[in-house]
Amino acid sequence: MQRALDFDKTPALSVPLPFFLNVPVFGLLAGLLITWADPQALASRWGGTALAITHLWTLGILGSAMLGALVQILAVACNVPLRPARLIAASVHILLTLGTLALVTGFLWWSPPAWFAAAVLLACAFMLYLGALSLALWQHRKQVYKGAREILVPVRGALTALGLTALIGVAMAVSLGMGNSLAHWLNSHILWGLLGWGGLLLMGMSFQLLPIFQLTEIFPKSLTRWLPLLIPGLLLAWSALDASSGLPRLMRETVELLLVGAYTIWIGTALQRLWQRKRPTAEPTSLFWFTGLLSLLACAPAWVWLRHGQSPQAETVLGVLLIVGGLGSVVHGMLYKIFPFLLWKHAQDAVVVPAHNPAHAKVYLKVLPKMAAYIPERPAQWHWAVYLLMLLSWILAAAGWPVAGLLAGPLLILASLLLAWNLGRALWRFRQALAAMAALPVPPAPAQPR
């Protein structure tokens, strides 16, 4: 495994920053929408409001963060930079943001023009992103760092799954705009999006980020080698069985059981590594990782409930556990690790030290905040506590408890505002540090010996 990251390959701050700032914005929109909607909006996944909230999460919150983080990770961990990074990132961010808003509008008002607009915008966003990353992976295939295979294999699978998810989603949006329905593709859209794109990317990131940032043991080689290959194969088998008619239902459920088992092996290993980490205290990122992994682990009994129970709420609870609990928790937790590091790194890079005047650097470093100062632990822990309460309220609301539905929206609004405050304060400290450096007098250079 690639244990060290080459931070000299870090992209410009303007590349991932807009994607990360989308997270609290779309979280606030989702919170406002569920507060405005009926308390039973989460009780079914088929209503327009529920579909709008779902895509605010999957595209606006999770999609934005994952697209921005992947560009960063591929550059520093694998030596696969995206070029021209600023132009591509800015274009994808605008297309993704507008496309998500158009899709949400289509679901809320059942508007064909909004669906057509969403299909065009999102198709362009994902074609540009996937095309640029595929080209970068091909061009730099010989320069990839030794030991980066554990990341690249699941990343390639995740990008393939993203392409299939986007293709099915765009086709469904166009079909809705034309007054038709492709409901039989819905399960494939969900499965490839959550277990393919989201699950594989999260797995690949855990192989790299948990050992480095949480000081855990390296994942077993057998797991990192075979699991990222097994899961796409099972997804393909499930899709083929789902599209076939006349085959026993037991065959598809067996493949689903194997998928649940494969992910449970990874989740159990990740939890064991995280519990036995060398870092003594549980920082906010650790707490979010624990919340996310435990939520994903809870998906196994939720799947059994879905397949063998009679409750109509089972699939909604499963969706909340996957999206809000599993993927959402980890995405928010990693923001508290990636965001302050990027600000600290770019503030350090702004220091220009003449070779003949090393005292210049000492003056600058006195005014630069340490990385931990950008987002202190206490505000981040408060955000985690509110996020945990919000997650519990969403699970209970999805299970059909109306009182929890009344709390789900306000708690998400509060969690999003806390995240926005923490990120905004970090950006303010970054700007203040740059301004302080610009205002510092340059110390005289030491006299040169004759």
Side-chain angles (χ1 to χ4, degrees), residues 103 119 164-174 189:
L103 187 62
L164 290 172
T165 305
L167 181 62
I168 297 171
V170 168
M172 293 177 70
V174 172
H189 179 64

Side-chain angles (χ1 to χ4, degrees), residues 112-282:
W115 279 321
F116 283 126
V120 172
L121 291 166
L122 292 174
C124 291
F126 290 119
M127 285 175 61
L128 177 59
Y129 186 85
L130 290 170
L133 273 192
S134 299
L135 180 61
L137 286 167
W138 173 258
Q139 288 178 333
H140 298 278
R141 66 191 184 280
K142 295 182 180 179
Q143 289 80 40
V144 169
Y145 293 136
K146 184 180 179 180
R149 180 186 181 277
E150 286 83 356
I151 307 173
L152 287 179
V153 172
V155 162
R156 290 191 182 103
L159 290 174
T160 303
L162 175 60
L164 290 172
T165 305
L167 181 62
I168 297 171
V170 168
M172 293 177 70
V174 172
S175 178
L176 283 172
M178 297 175 65
N180 302 317
S181 174
L182 291 177
H184 57 285
W185 285 104
L186 181 60
N187 286 334
S188 293
H189 179 64
I190 295 172
L191 203 71
W192 281 101
L194 296 181
L195 298 189
W197 159 237
L200 282 172
L201 185 62
L202 186 59
M203 181 184 293
M205 295 303 101
S206 72
F207 295 160
Q208 179 74 39
L209 300 180
L210 287 184
I212 291 179
F213 291 128
Q214 298 300 315
L215 302 182
T216 70
E217 294 294 329
I218 297 175
F219 283 75
K221 286 188 177 181
S222 57
L223 188 148
T224 60
R225 180 181 297 274
W226 297 112
L227 213 54
L229 296 175
L230 175 63
I231 288 173
L234 291 173
L235 288 171
L236 286 171
W238 185 94
S239 298
L241 291 170
D242 188 58
S244 303
S245 58
L247 294 176
R249 181 181 175 183
L250 181 62
M251 294 178 65
R252 191 182 70 174
E253 291 188 0
T254 301
V255 174
E256 290 180 6
L257 180 60
L258 291 173
L259 270 170
V260 171
Y263 270 112
T264 301
I265 291 172
W266 163 66
I267 295 165
T269 305
L271 278 171
Q272 180 263 335
R273 292 293 195 270
L274 194 59
W275 183 257
Q276 297 178 350
R277 68 195 181 280
K278 298 175 184 177
R279 189 179 295 277
T281 57

